């Protein structure tokens, strides 16, 4: 994508500015003010002239102008929560705790263009590129990395992506039933997008209905050989997985906790598919939401 003037600090040369609108839950992309500067390709005419096979001059839409508008739309379709409008996967976010995840995300990015340009070559590229299941305690930066991944997909690479909180999807499905919509009507965009990111997988009551929705999403993308990314507080070990407090029916003073692994939380069928589709990575460390002053106490 063509760069804007190097001194534009608002968009860092992407020509796309990310902001939030009052009372809207998602971050919003628009053309940066620096786009008013002349496009190097079409001089802001929006068209360029090329010669066809008969050496005739033909006006076509400027590819740079068209590309930037497409990427604005891709970001807005990704549904990035407003809290994460500044997520970028920039090097300043890299540290000793997330370095391995950064490197793996970089490898995924390098393989994405080839994979998406050969969508029908299922056997030849199935082993070359996988998604990621990012596991770890609350506050370790999983959602920040995944929304940064979505930014890179849409703005930097022009790849379609949907970031979807699993709890929010369930809420939309319940509302859809009231509006007379089927599960597939609501889920279909999640199957059409190049990259699907499921945030907080396993969160909720873990009812049969919730697991059936998750199974539908995972199985459909598995059968279509589509990439999926996941964040979850549940890991593969009871030692570092999320421990949830449950109500003690005997009403004693002792507290009861349950420590589900990701396999126990989502079931064998979903876990097996994810193991084939994704790399499983742990992101451990301290809660980044807690300030340094609080850590010193």
């Amino acid at each position: 994508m063509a760069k804007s003037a190097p001194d534009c600090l608002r968009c860092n040369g992407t020509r796309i500015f990310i902001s939030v609108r009052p009372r809207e839950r998602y971050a919003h992309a628009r053309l940066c003010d620096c786009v008013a500067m002349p496009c190097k390709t079409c001089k802001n005419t929006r068209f360029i002239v090329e010669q066809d096979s008969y050496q005739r001059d033909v006006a076509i839409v400027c590819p740079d102008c068209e590309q930037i508008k497409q990427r604005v739309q891709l970001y807005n379709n990704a549904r990035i929560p407003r809290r994460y409008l500044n997520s970028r996967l920039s090097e300043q976010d890299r540290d000793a705790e997330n370095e391995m995840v950064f490197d793996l995300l970089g490898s995924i990015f390098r393989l994405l263009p080839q994979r998406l340009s050969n969508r029908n070559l299922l056997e030849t590229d199935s082993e070359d590129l996988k998604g990621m299941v990012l596991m770890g305690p609350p506050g370790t930066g999983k959602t920040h990395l995944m929304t940064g991944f979505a930014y890179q997909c849409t703005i930097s690479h022009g790849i379609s992506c949907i970031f979807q909180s699993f709890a929010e999807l369930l809420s939309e499905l319940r509302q859809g039933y009231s509006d007379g919509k089927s599960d597939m009507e609501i889920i279909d965009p999640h199957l059409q997008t190049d990259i699907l990111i499921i945030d907080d997988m396993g969160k909720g009551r873990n009812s049969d209905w919730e697991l059936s929705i998750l199974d539908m999403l995972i199985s459909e993308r598995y059968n279509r050989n589509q990439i999926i990314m996941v964040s979850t507080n549940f890991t593969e070990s009871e030692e570092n997985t999320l421990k949830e407090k449950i109500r003690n029916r005997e009403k004693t003073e002792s507290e009861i906790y349950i420590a589900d692994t990701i396999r126990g939380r989502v079931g064998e069928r979903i876990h097996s598919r994810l193991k084939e589709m994704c790399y499983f990575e742990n992101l451990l460390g301290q809660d980044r939401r807690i300030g340094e002053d609080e850590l010193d106490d």
Side-chain angles (χ1 to χ4, degrees), residues 10-11 27 34 50 75 78 115 138 157 171 176 183 186 194 200 210 221 227 230 236 240-241 245 256 258 271 290:
R10 288 170 61 85
C11 68
C34 70
E50 290 188 348
Y75 183 89
R115 167 68 175 270
H157 294 264
S171 177
D183 289 343
I186 298 171
D194 291 325
D200 268 343
E210 291 174 352
R221 292 192 69 88
I227 301 166
V230 170
E236 296 191 286
N240 56 27
T241 195
K245 183 178 178 180
I256 298 178
I258 185 171
H271 182 262
I290 300 177

Side-chain angles (χ1 to χ4, degrees), residues 79-251:
R79 298 160 46 120
I80 308 299
R82 60 186 294 151
R83 177 179 291 274
Y84 298 97
L85 81 160
N86 293 317
S87 295
R88 296 289 187 274
L89 281 188
S90 58
E91 283 298 313
Q92 65 186 18
D93 293 328
R94 180 195 290 264
D95 55 36
E97 293 175 344
N98 63 28
E99 187 171 12
M100 289 185 63
V101 175
F102 257 82
D103 290 341
L104 184 53
L105 288 173
S107 297
I108 292 173
F109 278 129
R110 285 191 294 272
L111 292 169
L112 269 174
Q114 180 181 0
R115 167 68 175 270
L116 296 175
S117 64
N118 296 281
R119 298 172 191 268
N120 296 323
L121 302 181
L122 303 185
E123 295 183 359
T124 59
D125 67 1
S126 60
E127 297 298 325
D128 295 334
L129 179 62
K130 294 183 178 182
M132 180 190 296
V133 174
L134 188 56
M135 308 171 291
T140 50
K142 299 183 300 298
T143 301
H144 173 69
L145 292 177
M146 287 299 184
T147 49
F149 181 88
Y151 176 91
Q152 296 295 339
C153 283
T154 55
I155 300 298
S156 300
H157 294 264
I159 295 170
S160 65
C161 178
I162 289 181
F163 177 91
Q164 179 68 73
S165 160
F166 188 61
E168 184 180 7
L169 174 61
L170 296 177
S171 177
E172 291 176 4
L173 285 165
R174 292 188 183 99
Q175 180 60 46
Y177 297 152
S178 301
D179 298 336
K181 295 181 180 179
S182 66
D183 289 343
M184 190 54 69
E185 285 182 85
I186 298 171
I187 288 177
D188 189 62
H190 302 73
L191 304 178
Q192 300 302 325
T193 189
D194 291 325
I195 309 292
L196 174 62
I197 302 174
I198 300 178
D199 191 45
D200 268 343
M201 187 184 73
K203 182 179 181 180
R205 293 176 297 176
N206 209 34
S207 66
D208 290 343
W209 174 71
E210 291 174 352
L211 289 177
S212 71
I213 296 300
L214 183 59
D215 182 75
M216 183 189 304
L217 272 176
I218 302 298
S219 296
E220 283 293 330
R221 292 192 69 88
Y222 174 84
N223 292 332
R224 301 179 187 204
N225 200 38
Q226 294 173 317
I227 301 166
I228 192 166
M229 309 287 286
V230 170
S231 75
T232 178
N233 294 141
F234 301 96
T235 71
E236 296 191 286
S237 170
E238 291 185 0
E239 296 178 358
N240 56 27
T241 195
L242 179 66
K243 295 176 175 61
E244 294 187 306
K245 183 178 178 180
I246 62 173
R247 182 177 298 176
N248 188 347
R249 294 182 179 179
E250 298 178 0
K251 298 182 179 179

